[in-house]
Amino acid sequence: MSSFGLHCARKKEPELERKLRANDRQYNLSFKYATNAIKTSKYNFFTFLPLNLFEQFQRIANAYFLFLLVLQVIPEISSLSWFTTVVPLALVLSVTAAKDATDDINRHRSDNHVNNRKVQVLIDGKLRSEKWMDVQVGDIIKLENNQFVTADLLLLSSSEPLNLVYIETAELDGETNLKVRQALPATGDLGDDVSKLAGFNGEVLCEAPNNRLDRFAGTLAYAGQKYALDNEKILLRGCTLRNTEWCFGLVLFGGPETKLMQNCGKSTFKRTSVDRLMNVLVLCIFGFLALMCSILAMGNYCWELGEGSAFTLFLPRQNGHRAAFSSFLTFWSYVIILNTVVPISLYVSVEFIRLGNSFYIDWDRDMYHSRSDTPAQARTTTLNEELGQIKYVFSDKTGTLTQNIMTFNKCSINGKTYGDVLDRTGQRLEVNAHTETVDFSFNPLADPRFTFHDHALVEAVKLEIPEVHAFFRLLTLCHTVMAEEKKEGQLSYQAQSPDEGALVTAARNFGFVFRSRTPDSVSVVEMGRQRTYRLLAILDFNNVRKRMSVIVRSPEGKLSLYCKGADTIIYERLHRSCGKLMDVTTEHLNEFAGEGLRTLALAYKDLDEDFFLGWQRRHHEASVAPHHREAKLEQLYEEIESDLLLLGATAIEDKLQDGVPQTIEQLSKADIKIWVLTGDKQETAENIGYSCNLLSEEMNDVFVIGGNSPEDVRRELRNARECMKPGAAEDCAFLPATTLGKSARAIADEAVNGDFGLVINGHSLAHALDGSMERDFLRTACMCKAVICCRVTPLQKAQVVQLVKTYKRAVTLAIGDGANDVSMIKVAHIGVGISGQEGTQAVLSSDYSFAQFRFLQRLLLVHGRWSYLRMCKFLRYFFYKNFTFTFVHFWYAFFCGFSAQTVYDELFITLYNLVYTALPVLGMSLFDQDVNDAWSFQHPRLYVPGQLNLYFSKMAFFKCALHSCYSSLVLFFIPYAAVAQAARADGRDLADHQSFAVLTQTCLLFAVTLQLGLEMSYWTAVNGLFVVGSLLMYFVVTFTMYSNGLFLVLPSAFPFIGTARNTLSQPNVWLTIGLTSILCILPVVTYRFLLILLRPTINDKVMFKARQAKASPPPLPRRTRIRRTSSRRSGYAFSHAQGYGDLVTSGRFLRRPAQPRPSALAHAGRAASAFSPLGRSAGYSPTGRAQYVKAREVEVTSLQMYRTVGDDAREPPR
Amino acid sequence: MVKEENESPNRPDNTAFTQQRLPAWQPMLSAGIVIPGFVLIGLAFIGIGVALLITSRNIQVLELDYTGTEQNSPCFQCSDPDKQNCVCTLQFSINRLFEGPVFFYYGLSNYFQNYRRYGVSRDDGQLYGDLSYFKEPYDQCEPYRYDRNKRPIVPCGSVVNSLFNDTFRLFQIVNGQQKEVPLDGKGIAWWTDYNIKFRNPTVTPLRNAFNGTVKPLFWPRPAYELDTSDPANNGFINQDFLVWMRRAALPDFRKLYRRITEGDYTNGLPAGNYSLEIAYNYPVLSFNGRKMVVFSNVSWMGGKNEFLGIAYLVIGTLCVVMSVVMLIVYAKFKFPEEE
């Protein structure tokens, strides 16, 4: 995406308005509009090198090294040969360049693929298949179903009635529901008549290319008339044509000028907190480097004044350099020598480690979901260690915690419950996969996927108990589900809410089959008999009514009203005679609710003919009334929905995904706070909260914030706080401001006594998120263990995440599956998409994706924790080894007149980071683990240090630096003292510079390797090989480089000839190496050992336990579903959106028969359930239009099927 | 649900590597390892330290400063920088046999051979015998690159120019007679230095190679006449020159001058009086340097080196002490096994 910044920026003079004429290429070419070819690649063969280098040198580390290189060219300054800088820099640059090149080749490929797609273009009166890139502004093209829209088009005509076309705009705005576009009647009349279209010579005058997706302004002049054009007549590139056989369009904008391309700005680039810390540290290091160099320069100044001015006999100063100038040069010379404190290989190594750890996620079999054949996927390779620091998890509910599959689980009919499986003694049995299911073979129209375990209900149906029949009749009649029968007897239902689908499907299996409907009738098969009910009225559902009713006339002519709704609502409207039944049913409802089931109460009443006719007349009057129509209708509904007779209640299970309660429990043990942000209504959300262990009966209190005014909300929040922590101060405590942070001040965590939960609904949330109250809200919410926000819009989801991000110094993770979660996924530090449920929008914008919520615990507790551990170990060790390496030079400066003389051989300086110490530390950061995954699960507390940034912080960095300081002192002064006056065994002196260099560098290498050995807690064979191999490599390389042969080939490059042989053969050299090594690690071992004894960390304890146990711990006990008896009542079970009874009766959406499915795709459908829930985003039309009105006509199943199949083929709109 | 035999290609491979289950050794700093480890290391170090110390104690060293800054020093009159070709004589006695082979070093202090710009001021091309560098020496040799008449200096540079040029003759005083102790100037440089790294130009006689060049300013004689007694020890492979060219790492250093291995002195220097005749040429007073000569013999681990022995002893003792401390702490706190 980022490439577009460049591309879009390169513009000629701004275009003010666009003029074009259909079918007139000559005319249109005169304006030099962009063709439809797109170019997202950055480089071509020739520009790659200069451009890529230019980009790379914009990175500060690379630029710094380039600067060093320049310094090294100046002979007065150059203290190191050029290759010490060039070799690492070249390596880093070429690795990055190789990566960029492969990326760009892929972009070229995808560009070519897109540009070479074929589309039918009307040229010279004939339709010709042309490549996309050859399409020009003013061309007329023909699109067919499921094709991508080639360019921004003016819709001319379509195969559908009223010149409608259906498009999916997922790639543009992330909404999965379909939208409708309609052509002008004037152009629509052209139809698909090629000759007419070829003769079409309309002229369009419209706005210049811009990035506003929701607006378009222009006019079409055609046949002497002028027509206004708006967004409703435009098809934008990036959309896909759906459910439309064909359409014709006039190209308005092509390629880079399309709104899609104009929109692709830079995507936000997420950085981890370790990244940010690292940047701060690198800055600190720069400062530190400057400090060291200044000290040394000052030292040089003093030396020059004192010793240096005297020591001129053998070392004359050229041109009589004065001390000040000399110290200035020394400063820069030391900048070169000490450059290793700013490690260029750091960034490359870090990327490499993250890449490796991302692969582990991709490879994890335990995060592979076999039912959907989806492995986990790390879509970003730069955020791994942040997975080990998550403090807040924001989860969507539907499709994430739940499967979004509703199953008819239990019911209560006329005071008797059905659905439980009882054994002979009347004890309730646990239902599992082996429980015998009810055989529905008596019913040829039954849905084979429906299962039910209680035989008593079938018996009751077969016995023709009238209440049972009435119960199911109600379920078949009172709904707004659409049926589709493609083949005789094969029904599929399309329901607005999965609950309704579940109920209708249940009725279908028990012999009351809803078969088809017309605007004024419902055809059902009741126990094998075909019956058609006249549908007289639908009293639709809305949020206030919380019920829906239908009034039907049976074939026998009986008038009945069937009503289903929230139990509280229904109970208010029952006939007095139902009192006893009400009590029994209430008991059942409580029982259902306690099991976390979603309940509905059902009631009916027979209507008096005269009364109804009167009512109908008044209803008609009211519905055309000019004023107060709603209120009048409402009153009429109230009137007829009274004195109902209770039939019973249904209980639907909103199936949780596998392992959700366990996962949530694990995560909360790991001190991760879970907030559920859902679009569902409060009761539903609360219910799920209980059933997935988020809320529990044991909690001290669950606060419900439901105020409608800001004052109410504020008061409720304060009350809650007062209750949790009596005397909670009005002002919140801030954490001390960070030195470099420009963000708002962070709010400190507050401890409370006991566990609390918070439930807040959409209205209140809107107030709570207001600038003046957001801190109040945040404080209260953060004191609670669990937070559930209901009725949240996608924007609010993002706001909540942003709020926590702003005021809490904590890492957030958002997990969701739908398009409505995209915003929060993008805002959170880490976005996780649940794949394979509701399209791919969430996944496409996520950083990690997998199929099941329960994999989250593995992602965090295992992969995240390890990644964080590894990264921190890596950074600590990396800084240690480089600092130690560099500080030795600092000490040496005091003995060489601050002349920027290096201690080591230049070859060693070049290879130290790249060859001698690279692999062992990489090995550690790829394989290390303190305890294995089973133990990680067993002890979720192991996760806590990550949240507190314990493993790597400024403090840890400072400790590293101190440690390095100690080590470098040892590494310089021990060899110094050991060889200063020493002689070799053959009497020759030992203290020459080259021998000293070899001695010190060998000591250094041994010391840092031993230190690595101490750090490493998981020695695989590979690690052993890397460590030993690297040491061996040092000796091999050293002896080779210092050999006679190489010297003879290139005398000037290998001045150290013979030094290795002559030095490393001396016993006292080895004694010195041994001494320094031991002296370096001795204090570390002592310190760590005492620390483990005196203040063991959780890691130490678990490691110790694991050691004791040796074998893996027993697998986690599988928690059985806790049955609760609770007085909570879940009166819900409607989708919260307004029903579409209007549509049903208007007949508008029955106009078109459903499209036959493309057979090639049929196998891949998610035909898991007969009903296909509409994408939930339908409820959240940002424009406020009732999107689903149109979307109703869409065959959702095939749409989603397409998506599962088509994802690979689809080109990302780069 | 029946699991299929043939797995989906999407299912990740079940290998120890991809599943992060590689068999591994997981060491831990447990008391069972650390405390005995410390004791063992400590004992070993103490052992080595004692051995080193004993060895080192047995090595005889005789250091004689001859800078001549003190009035009573025999070389006091030579320390006057104006004095040319001054010779002074140092008297000393050895009261027991100085066991051979005895090595004879000269030492300089406060001398910054490790100064970077001093170190780079040399032309390795010249020293490798490459005649092309004789015409135009390496530019880092400034100011010892050309003489005033723009003639190239060979060999050029500060290191070469500052070649140590004091010479010594050692006499044993036997019955009042001076008996010269033969000094062996062979084999004092590294084999690799005089066989590979440094080379004379392949021109015979050697002096012809130096036509058109001038000797380094401070040198009394040109390179091809460094050793008048042995023609093979001349030019760039003169061993004294090689020893000097291997510049010291630290400002106080000593370099091997001669070995005493021949004649009556194969077994060392017998007890008695000696006189050392010093041709005092090398100026060090301007930078407060000092000059000395050192006689020493060596053991298997080289020359006298008290430091290593003491260091080993100290570290070894520290290890043992720490292990005791750890043991006490361990006994007191144990590892918390609650939870």
Side-chain angles (χ1 to χ4, degrees), chain B residues 98-146:
Chain B
F98 205 118
E99 271 179 59
V102 177
F103 295 89
F104 178 6
Y105 306 86
Y106 61 89
L108 294 169
S109 65
N110 209 21
Y111 192 107
F112 287 85
Q113 252 203 328
N114 59 5
Y115 196 85
R116 176 172 59 87
R117 297 170 48 80
Y118 175 89
V120 295
S121 177
R122 60 192 275 172
D123 187 339
D124 284 323
Q126 283 183 354
L127 300 175
Y128 191 57
D130 190 334
L131 284 172
S132 55
Y133 294 94
F134 279 41
K135 301 277 175 296
E136 196 181 334
Y138 183 43
D139 52 9
Q140 290 278 354
C141 282
E142 286 294 349
Y144 303 112
R145 196 173 170 206
Y146 296 103

Side-chain angles (χ1 to χ4, degrees), chain A residues 217-231:
Chain A
T219 54
L220 170 72
Y222 173 51
Q225 291 269 8
K226 266 201 167 186
Y227 304 93
L229 303 178
D230 61 11
N231 203 34

